[in-house]
Amino acid sequence: MQHLLRISGGVSNRSANTVPEKPSRSSWHRAITACLAAVVLVLTGCQSSPPQSSAPTSAPVSTSAFPSTEAGKAMEWIHTVLEQDADVAEGDVEGRFSQEFTAEVPPTELVSLFNENLRPAAPFDVTDYAGDELTSSATFTGSEGDPFVVQIAVDADGTINGLLFTPENDHEEATTLEDAEARLDELPIDVNYLVTSGDRNIAASGEQDVAPIGSAFKLWVLLAVVNSIDDGSLNWNDELTVEASNKSLPSGDLQNLPDGSTVTVREAAQKMIEISDNTATDLLITAVGREKVDELVPEHMRPVATTRQFFELVWGEGTDRLGEYSEADEQGRAKLLDSLEDLTVSATDVDMDTSKVSAPTWAASPEEVADIWEQLDNASEQHPELDEILGANTAVSVSGYNNLWFKGGSLPGVLAGSWTGQTESGDRVTVVLIASSDDATAVNDNTMELLLLGGDILTLLAS
């Protein structure tokens, strides 16, 4: 029995391997209450025929290896409280959950769930971690009972606004590259993909169109930073100042710093990639100059909007500007972007149910994403910092690589996942998946399956 979360409102029966993103507040009490019975059955072994997991086996994730995204830190906290010596008290959960969440799910109910239904199975190994800056999913395997999946959604400040427990992921590992391709093609969303090994294209979708890629555009920003360091106009240790005028939403933690705080270029680059920090991104665009980023991106992505500009353009007051922006030439777009100085919108104003796949945004083809990965790989010989920056958050657990880099991106109706890495045999493998749909829920519902298929492809090519 599976009672599962629907990303942006209510409960639906869907794959247990979906990461929650921006759930509606009213659905959580129903989702958790429905799931309690399933969790109890999993832990006590009372099911007449326990489900057999077909999910890929991954190495345990140590508490020190959780990504430093807000969602990763929330998952680490769940792991810690489930394994602490003393029973979980209401004070332990105080401040960890949003007011809307605790209004629907009282702390007493959470504490009872942790102490009576989950902690008896401690200690836990954590495997199959996947997620982005605001959502995460991981499999917990205890000393008794069957594994279960914890799914978390957080606000930009790390406050948990969604928590779901389900039986173990039912993702079936792809056994061949052809199998993975077939399953990507069968997803009820449009998926453009490209897989390369060395200088060979070994798998590709029939369409290689330009499509929205969300925060994956930050790869070009990172290359612009590297180029600026090479020409002497910037240094990894240069300090950037966070001000009210350059704070951006919704992801990242630099937005929470007091005005006048400083971070180094190196620190900002790390946060831009590892937790997709939007304020860090805008600081770096300003530091290198938008012109340098524009020189690197595909022509159709010019001019590159800062995240603050894009957020205001798409969701701010006067959204009729989208039509004007779409019809303008590059010069006209730049003028409009430069006029968007004030933020009239907050993160809570974003409608996650309405697809933005047709909105003017950062976009690229799978080949263009693969090309930027190649350029960054070439630059890493002179800039070893790139390995740590790009390898800190790989989204999925994969073995068989000397190094593995990842950058994803998402908007309502849009999901991009891209990896590049060197196998232990020395081959450079790149996997680019770009999904989109006019139905934002359909993309949400297939987020984890898409990422896990990407992981399967990487695993197959590492062997």
Side-chain angles (χ1 to χ4, degrees):
M1 180 172 88
Q2 296 181 5
H3 301 272
L4 305 165
L5 164 73
R6 178 179 175 274
I7 296 287
S8 297
V11 176
S12 69
N13 294 324
R14 66 178 174 87
S15 169
N17 54 15
T18 305
V19 174
E21 291 202 350
K22 194 67 175 178
S24 67
R25 313 296 186 182
S26 63
S27 70
W28 283 109
H29 182 73
R30 296 195 302 273
I32 290 182
T33 302
C35 283
L36 291 183
V39 171
V40 171
L41 290 175
V42 167
L43 293 179
T44 60
C46 293
Q47 292 169 304
S48 58
S49 56
Q52 298 299 310
S53 171
S54 56
T57 301
S58 302
V61 179
S62 69
T63 52
S64 62
F66 283 100
S68 60
T69 60
E70 294 301 334
K73 289 184 282 189
M75 188 67 75
E76 181 178 1
W77 176 78
I78 291 289
H79 186 226
T80 299
V81 298
L82 292 183
E83 293 203 320
Q84 67 186 27
D85 293 334
D87 279 352
V88 181
E90 289 188 33
D92 294 326
V93 302
E94 184 177 355
R96 290 282 181 175
F97 295 83
S98 67
Q99 292 182 356
E100 294 89 347
F101 184 101
T102 55
E104 295 287 338
V105 186
T108 52
E109 186 174 335
L110 280 170
V111 167
S112 175
L113 167 64
F114 289 155
N115 290 330
E116 297 177 19
N117 297 332
L118 300 175
R119 292 187 65 251
F124 296 96
D125 285 334
V126 183
T127 58
D128 296 335
Y129 182 93
D132 56 22
E133 59 271 16
L134 299 181
T135 64
S136 60
S137 173
T139 299
F140 280 55
T141 302
S143 59
E144 60 182 85
D146 292 332
F148 59 95
V149 174
V150 180
Q151 301 180 67
I152 294 175
V154 300
D155 291 327
D157 63 358
T159 304
I160 299 173
N161 61 46
L163 177 65
L164 186 66
F165 299 90
T166 67
E168 188 177 15
N169 287 337
D170 62 358
H171 169 77
E172 183 176 346
E173 187 174 6
T175 56
T176 65
L177 184 58
E178 291 74 20
D179 177 28
E181 285 188 86
R183 288 164 61 183
L184 287 171
D185 291 336
E186 290 168 0
L187 291 176
I189 52 180
D190 294 327
V191 181
N192 285 352
Y193 59 88
L194 176 65
V195 181
T196 69
S197 180
D199 58 0
R200 296 180 299 117
N201 291 355
I202 60 175
S205 57
E207 299 295 331
Q208 293 286 297
D209 295 334
V210 170
I213 58 172
S215 287
F217 92 97
K218 294 169 185 177
L219 293 173
W220 282 270
V221 178
L222 182 59
L223 184 60
V225 170
V226 169
N227 289 348
S228 295
I229 292 172
D230 286 341
D231 67 23
S233 61
L234 203 62
N235 186 284
W236 286 117
N237 295 321
D238 286 348
E239 290 191 340
L240 310 174
T241 303
V242 179
E243 301 287 1
S245 60
N246 56 37
K247 289 181 179 179
S248 184
L249 301 169
S251 60
D253 54 25
L254 292 189
Q255 62 183 293
N256 301 319
L257 293 180
D259 294 350
S261 300
T262 61
V263 294
T264 66
V265 169
R266 173 68 177 77
E267 291 168 337
Q270 187 75 51
K271 289 182 178 294
M272 176 178 70
I273 300 299
E274 184 176 355
I275 63 173
S276 210
D277 193 305
N278 283 340
T279 299
T281 304
D282 290 358
L283 286 171
L284 292 171
I285 292 175
T286 300
V288 302
R290 187 170 68 194
E291 297 79 9
K292 282 191 176 181
V293 185
D294 283 348
E295 289 173 0
L296 296 174
V297 300
E299 184 177 357
H300 51 76
M301 209 192 299
R302 301 171 189 161
V304 172
T306 65
T307 66
R308 180 182 170 106
Q309 289 170 336
F310 177 74
F311 199 76
E312 178 66 20
L313 178 68
V314 175
W315 285 291
E317 295 177 3
T319 51
D320 55 332
R321 293 175 301 203
L322 281 174
E324 179 186 347
Y325 186 82
S326 298
E327 296 173 3
D329 58 17
E330 184 177 335
Q331 185 177 5
R333 290 186 174 199
K335 183 177 180 180
L336 196 156
L337 289 177
D338 291 339
S339 72
L340 304 177
E341 296 181 0
D342 298 324
L343 272 179
T344 65
V345 63
S346 67
T348 56
D349 296 325
V350 175
D351 176 11
M352 295 298 291
D353 287 329
T354 302
S355 175
K356 292 299 181 181
V357 68
S358 60
T361 181
W362 311 290
S365 68
E367 293 100 326
E368 289 165 341
V369 177
D371 179 68
I372 190 64
W373 275 128
E374 183 177 1
Q375 293 184 65
L376 287 166
D377 180 42
N378 292 337
S380 65
E381 184 174 349
Q382 298 299 321
H383 297 277
E385 296 88 351
L386 290 176
D387 191 40
E388 184 176 352
I389 291 170
L390 291 162
N393 179 11
T394 60
V396 294
S397 298
V398 177
S399 59
Y401 285 81
N402 292 326
N403 67 348
L404 184 64
W405 301 345
F406 169 79
K407 188 68 190 85
S410 63
L411 293 166
V414 173
L415 176 69
S418 65
W419 299 261
T420 193
Q422 184 185 64
T423 67
E424 292 174 355
S425 61
D427 296 326
R428 171 64 56 177
V429 171
T430 299
V431 177
V432 181
L433 308 175
I434 304 175
S436 61
S437 175
D438 290 331
D439 182 353
T441 300
V443 174
N444 290 337
D445 287 353
N446 289 279
T447 291
M448 191 56 62
E449 180 66 8
L450 189 82
L451 292 175
L452 290 175
L453 284 172
D456 291 347
I457 294 170
L458 290 165
T459 298
L460 288 166
L461 295 178
S463 58

